[in-house]
Amino acid sequence: MPEENKVLEATAILRFARISARKVKIVADLIRGKKVDEALAIVKFTPKASSEIIEKLLKSAIANAENNHGMNRGNLIVSEIYANQGPTMKRIRPAAKGSASRIRKRTSHITIKLREV
């Protein structure tokens, strides 16, 4: 069975990032479907907690595309980017009257897929 019209995709995945998926999705929505150079510029100047994480992951995906798949950087676009919820670390904080309250330290799995136009 010949592989015709196969679209190459370069992927970078970050698992167990110590930031909630909800915060990552805000920045992810900004760069979905953009060219990689434009996406890097947007992420660099977006004042959000997840911007640094996504910038590093996007650079990794670009390097994967160039080195592993032989893609041209000028033709790359962010075809998919999503953040799924990872495991939540549960911690306890002392509260009034000898009770305790729960602290949820959320994690996320972030995936970026690039393809050539």
Side-chain angles (χ1 to χ4, degrees):
M1 205 151 110
E3 294 182 26
E4 296 175 16
N5 299 331
K6 186 176 181 188
V7 178
L8 276 179
E9 278 192 332
T11 308
I13 300 172
L14 173 63
R15 296 187 178 278
F16 307 104
R18 263 295 290 121
I19 187 167
S20 71
R22 186 175 175 180
K23 292 177 183 177
V24 176
K25 287 176 185 179
I26 295 169
V27 179
D29 291 341
L30 294 175
I31 65 170
R32 190 175 290 113
K34 301 273 195 299
K35 287 187 167 280
V36 289
D37 292 327
E38 187 182 348
L40 276 173
I42 290 170
V43 168
K44 192 168 184 68
F45 296 108
T46 303
K48 290 285 182 185
S50 63
S51 292
E52 285 180 42
I53 297 166
I54 291 179
E55 181 182 6
K56 194 171 179 180
L57 191 61
L58 184 56
K59 286 179 180 177
S60 175
I62 293 167
N64 290 344
E66 290 175 334
N67 298 319
N68 300 344
H69 301 294
M71 297 172 153
N72 183 8
R73 181 186 174 131
N75 299 333
L76 292 174
I77 64 163
V78 180
S79 62
E80 288 182 46
I81 177 169
Y82 52 88
N84 297 325
Q85 187 173 333
T88 302
M89 296 185 289
K90 296 177 176 87
R91 301 292 181 260
I92 292 174
R93 174 187 197 127
K97 298 182 179 177
S99 65
S101 60
R102 173 79 41 94
I103 295 177
R104 287 178 217 86
K105 295 182 179 247
R106 299 185 188 272
T107 63
S108 58
H109 303 314
I110 309 166
T111 304
I112 296 181
K113 291 185 182 179
L114 307 178
R115 66 177 168 81
E116 271 188 320
V117 179

